Amino acid sequence: MTLRVLLLLPLFAVLVACSRSEGLGESAGGVNVGDVPAAEWQPLPPAPAVSTEVQAARDRILGPEATDPATVKLWWYGVSSFIASAGGHLFLFDAWESVGLQEDYVPIGREELVAIQPEAILIGHGHFDHAADAGYVAGHTGAALVAGQTVCNTARERAAQLGAMAAFPCVVLGSRESPGPGALQQLRLWRDLPPLRVLQHIHSAVDPSDLLTGGLPLIFVPQVLSFLEHLNTDPREIAGFVQSLTDDGLLGQPEGGTWAYHLRVGDFSLLWHDSTGPIGDEEPQGPAVQAALDGFPGCVDVQVGAIVGFGMVTSGLRDSTLYVASAHPQLFLPSHHDAWAPVLGGGAAAYETQWRNALASLENPPELDYLRDPEDYMKPRVFRVDDPRWKVPMPGSSCAG
């Protein structure tokens, strides 16, 4: 080996490290490095064996047999964030410890998310209350991040700021403009599970013109006591929260896009989304999103979706109800309705009556499992994939056609 080669080796190592930390790598030779377009993603292997320490953390935080492959399980930990297991794999939907004006309202935080070592993090959109801890968790665990391009960028920056330097790949789904609302992508995230279907849809939005066509704001009594009982006085937490407020744009459609995930395991299918935007027939992309919600392979057995958003200011629960009417689930679980922010996050009790009435107005209303805060935080929802009920299509769905 020449002297020149010996001198260049350290520089080569630095360049490789920088390309990983900046997300400039590519998928090659079956290995996912840096940012990888969804179409080029190499599926992750079957669920790896975990250390005794990680298994103990999973048992303590999630209970025994959290990754039983015969079940799909969900643990809600605030806003639209869920720990999930399916086919023996453990992963996250969204990643944010609910902090800001409050602390310890949710029984776990980002440290526990790291301790259980999720294999992947699926982000619905990049606003702070959904993705602010994606970099922290991925940067400490190496978990694969699935998100829009700007979310990948922010996560890498946040991980570096916090000293979380584990290399993690990011599956890039697109951006606000690409591929566009109503578009479906197929993503084989794991080698031993069927592909995910990823739908780009529309974030919730305030439209004052709704008030001119009969729209009404949602009237509710917000919960405020929880913020006084769990007041956040940690200056570091408050500073981190303030820093994250403008992630992917505080208001409006996120730069990194808005994504819904549909997964199947055996006879069971799950649809999760963390926002509900205007998708009526009068909206340019509304019919396409409606058709996609009703067109998932095997339809939707369980839908977990946001019921509170900006749209409630001018159109009440119209948009979130239309998501359910379009997807035709057998069972619905609400999210994004807990007391995570004063007034806007009114607490589950503030919306329950209105939401029950909204679902009852549907031609084929689903069964409702109404999650309530704080008692339902980290209380597992367990679905057996071979339950005979999943073989019966929901009336009104394309599977029943």
Side-chain angles (χ1 to χ4, degrees):
M1 186 178 293
T2 68
L3 178 61
R4 178 178 294 180
V5 172
L6 287 171
L7 291 174
L8 288 176
L9 278 177
L11 177 61
F12 177 76
V14 170
L15 290 174
V16 170
C18 289
S19 71
R20 287 173 178 260
S21 66
E22 294 299 324
L24 299 177
E26 296 179 353
S27 175
V31 178
N32 298 298
V33 179
D35 292 352
V36 183
E40 299 175 16
W41 175 256
Q42 301 298 319
L44 297 173
V50 297
S51 68
T52 301
E53 181 183 12
V54 171
Q55 189 59 57
R58 290 182 176 184
D59 291 344
R60 172 175 55 85
I61 296 168
L62 304 177
E65 309 221 355
T67 55
D68 176 8
T71 63
V72 171
K73 297 182 180 180
L74 297 171
W75 294 263
W76 183 38
Y77 66 96
V79 195
S80 294
S81 294
F82 288 81
I83 301 167
S85 72
H89 297 276
L90 192 72
F91 57 101
L92 306 180
F93 287 118
D94 277 353
W96 184 57
E97 178 183 353
S98 184
V99 296
L101 294 180
Q102 61 178 212
E103 64 177 352
D104 298 332
Y105 184 56
V106 178
I108 68 167
R110 61 182 72 90
E111 294 82 8
E112 285 81 7
L113 297 179
V114 168
I116 62 175
Q117 293 285 301
E119 300 169 48
I121 306 169
L122 283 59
I123 298 295
H125 68 278
H127 288 159
F128 72 92
D129 51 319
H130 301 275
D133 288 321
Y136 181 91
V137 178
H140 277 94
T141 64
L145 183 61
V146 184
Q149 181 65 69
T150 55
V151 180
C152 297
N153 298 343
T154 300
R156 294 192 191 285
E157 294 170 4
R158 191 73 37 81
Q161 291 170 1
L162 298 173
M165 298 304 292
F168 62 89
C170 190
V171 186
V172 181
L173 299 174
S175 65
R176 182 175 61 185
E177 294 81 17
S178 177
L184 275 173
Q185 299 180 65
Q186 180 173 289
L187 173 62
R188 191 71 176 266
L189 186 57
W190 290 285
R191 191 183 307 155
D192 57 341
L193 288 182
L196 298 170
R197 262 65 180 194
V198 185
L199 167 65
Q200 185 166 3
H201 61 112
I202 301 170
H203 191 273
S204 66
V206 176
D207 184 358
S209 67
D210 287 338
L211 299 175
L212 303 177
T213 57
L216 294 172
L218 183 68
I219 305 300
F220 60 94
V221 179
Q223 176 181 325
V224 295
L225 185 59
S226 65
F227 298 98
L228 300 177
E229 293 175 337
H230 299 269
L231 188 63
N232 189 357
T233 58
D234 186 334
R236 294 171 301 176
E237 289 284 5
I238 296 173
F241 171 71
V242 172
Q243 180 190 18
S244 71
L245 283 176
T246 57
D247 284 359
D248 228 25
L250 179 59
L251 299 173
Q253 298 298 313
E255 290 295 328
T258 306
W259 314 93
Y261 298 90
H262 179 264
L263 65 84
R264 288 194 61 81
V265 182
D267 293 325
F268 176 79
S269 65
L270 172 73
L271 172 65
W272 173 93
H273 53 93
D274 63 2
S275 191
T276 49
I279 58 168
D281 294 340
E282 71 284 354
E283 301 293 335
Q285 294 105 354
V289 175
Q290 291 182 53
L293 288 169
D294 188 37
F296 292 115
C299 293
V300 176
D301 293 320
V302 174
Q303 181 178 4
V304 182
I307 65 171
V308 172
F310 295 131
M312 70 181 187
V313 176
T314 54
S315 56
L317 296 172
R318 179 199 64 187
D319 297 337
S320 49
T321 304
L322 186 52
Y323 271 71
V324 181
S326 300
H328 300 284
Q330 295 195 43
L331 174 67
F332 181 83
L333 287 75
S335 67
H336 212 318
H337 62 317
D338 51 336
W340 67 274
V343 182
L344 180 61
Y351 313 104
E352 183 167 1
T353 298
Q354 294 98 318
W355 184 247
R356 289 187 179 278
N357 292 338
L359 284 192
S361 69
L362 299 179
E363 183 177 357
N364 296 293
E367 179 185 343
L368 175 62
D369 181 0
Y370 195 84
L371 301 178
R372 301 177 182 86
D373 58 315
E375 55 263 39
D376 280 318
Y377 288 143
M378 296 304 296
K379 183 178 179 180
R381 263 50 183 186
V382 182
F383 310 101
R384 292 201 62 83
V385 299
D386 61 355
D387 191 322
R389 73 176 293 188
W390 313 131
K391 295 182 181 291
V392 181
M394 183 66 175
S397 68
S398 59
C399 294

